[in-house]
């Protein structure tokens, strides 16, 4: 009996497969090593290290910018300290000035009974002049007893529309009555340029009346006529004794008001006039040469100059 033997599977030789083909395992291993070797240059630094290096680089590049920002911050703090110091000094100065304030017993009245004679645009100008008077009186060293009389009509409507806070104004008497209903006739003095009386001294027991009229010279002499009709005293400021002007001798309501406030402080009419009169009026001390070109193009901070207050030289 013969027996058949099954031939054993051939053992693949190194580098060949059972089909005699070249074995690729070794090649794959070599390729894998090569791939690893090629990536060592890029993978040698971790992602965290790259971020750290990038931040370091940015830090170096922004060194000058940080330095500039620190400088600006120091300057800002310095300016803030200086500003706070100035505010503190101003506050102390205001407190000192308020301690020095001595209210005057003089009564100063703006007579608003001319409302029907004005156009709305002129009423608005009068309103602004009254606002200026109020502001100046509030900060004056010798504030007067401030009255607005015959308050109503267009003026009141305009104030209600554009300046509702007027109802909260302090140290002022805003009344609908005529001034002669509030004051004794013997105490009243109407300020008008048509008067032959010159007001060389202020009597602080009196009540001085300023005509609240912006009329662009349409109603000449009306304040003087009003004083005569009411049977009250009248006078003009002594402008012609101290001032020469190269323009119309017209002063706004607030100018007259401010001149009186300044006189109460300085007790000097000349100083009072030249502290208040706008430069565009070309005002110079009486007797001095007046170079009108000096004032031709100059502007001042005052507005709404026109009012029925005339002071002839």
């Amino acid at each position: 009996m013969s027996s058949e033997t099954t031939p054993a599977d051939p053992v693949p030789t190194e580098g060949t497969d059972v089909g005699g083909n070249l074995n690729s395992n070794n090649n794959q291993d070599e390729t894998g090593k090569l791939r690893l070797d090629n990536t060592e240059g890029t993978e040698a630094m971790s992602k965290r290290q790259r971020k750290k290096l990038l931040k370091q680089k940015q830090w170096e590049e922004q060194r000058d910018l940080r330095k500039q920002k620190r400088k600006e911050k120091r300057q800002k703090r310095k300016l803030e300290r200086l500003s706070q110091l100035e505010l503190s000094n101003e506050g102390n100065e205001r407190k000192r000035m308020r301690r020095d304030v001595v209210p005057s017993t003089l009564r100063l009245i703006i007579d608003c009974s001319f409302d029907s004679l004005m156009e709305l645009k002129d009423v608005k100008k009068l309103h602004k002049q009254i606002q200026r008077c109020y502001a100046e009186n509030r900060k004056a060293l010798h504030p007067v007893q401030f009255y607005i009389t015959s308050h109503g009509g267009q003026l009141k409507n305009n104030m209600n529309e554009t300046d509702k806070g007027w109802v909260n104004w302090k140290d002022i008497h805003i009344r609908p009555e005529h001034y002669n209903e509030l004051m004794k006739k013997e105490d009243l003095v109407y300020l008008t340029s048509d008067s032959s009386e010159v007001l060389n001294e202020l009597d602080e027991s009196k009540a001085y009346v300023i005509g609240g009229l912006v009329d662009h010279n349409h109603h000449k002499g009306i304040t003087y006529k009003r004083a005569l009709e009411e049977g009250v005293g009248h006078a003009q400021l002594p402008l012609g004794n101290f001032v020469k002007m190269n323009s119309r001798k017209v002063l706004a309501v607030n100018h007259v008001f401010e001149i009186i406030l300044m006189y109460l402080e300085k007790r000097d009419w000349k100083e009072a006039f030249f502290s208040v009169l706008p430069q565009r009026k070309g005002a110079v001390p009486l007797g001095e040469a007046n170079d009108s070109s000096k004032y031709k193009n100059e502007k001042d901070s005052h507005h709404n100059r026109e009012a029925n207050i005339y002071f002839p030289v």
Side-chain angles (χ1 to χ4, degrees), residues 72-128:
E72 290 174 355
K73 193 173 182 180
R74 287 195 299 269
Q75 290 177 339
K76 184 179 179 181
R77 286 199 299 265
K78 182 178 180 181
L79 290 173
E80 287 176 349
R81 288 195 297 269
L82 289 174
S83 178
Q84 291 175 355
L85 182 60
E86 289 176 357
L87 288 174
S88 177
N89 290 337
E90 288 178 4
N92 292 335
E93 181 64 17
R94 283 196 296 269
K95 289 179 182 178
R96 184 194 66 78
M97 289 181 65
R98 296 313 299 175
R99 287 197 301 268
D100 294 340
V101 168
V102 179
S104 172
T105 57
L106 182 146
R107 288 159 289 173
L108 199 50
I109 303 166
I110 296 180
D111 172 21
C112 299
S113 63
F114 304 98
D115 189 85
S116 61
L117 300 179
M118 291 185 287
E119 297 180 7
L120 181 57
K121 64 179 181 178
D122 294 327
V123 171
K124 291 180 178 180
K125 291 180 182 180
L126 176 61
H127 176 203
K128 291 182 179 179

Side-chain angles (χ1 to χ4, degrees), residues 46-58:
S46 68
K47 186 181 290 185
R48 180 178 296 176
Q49 288 174 320
R50 286 201 304 273
K51 287 184 177 179
K52 185 176 181 180
L53 182 62
L54 181 60
K55 287 182 179 180
Q56 182 65 29
K57 184 179 179 181
Q58 291 176 341

Side-chain angles (χ1 to χ4, degrees), residues 191-196 223 235-237 249 308-312:
L191 297 177
T192 170
S193 65
D194 295 294
S195 173
S196 58
T223 53
Q236 62 169 291
L237 295 183
K249 283 65 180 178
N308 189 36
I309 307 295
Y310 306 91
F311 296 96

Side-chain angles (χ1 to χ4, degrees), residues 156-190:
K156 184 177 181 180
N157 291 337
N158 184 71
M159 292 174 71
N160 286 335
E161 291 175 5
T162 63
D163 185 21
K164 294 181 180 179
W166 71 267
V167 295
N168 297 319
W169 285 0
K170 299 178 180 179
D171 302 321
I172 185 172
H173 307 277
I174 302 178
R175 305 291 294 271
E177 298 93 341
H178 194 274
Y179 59 82
N180 61 14
E181 299 178 50
L182 302 172
M183 310 289 171
K184 295 178 181 179
K185 183 177 290 189
E186 58 268 25
D187 291 344
L188 291 165
V189 178
Y190 216 116

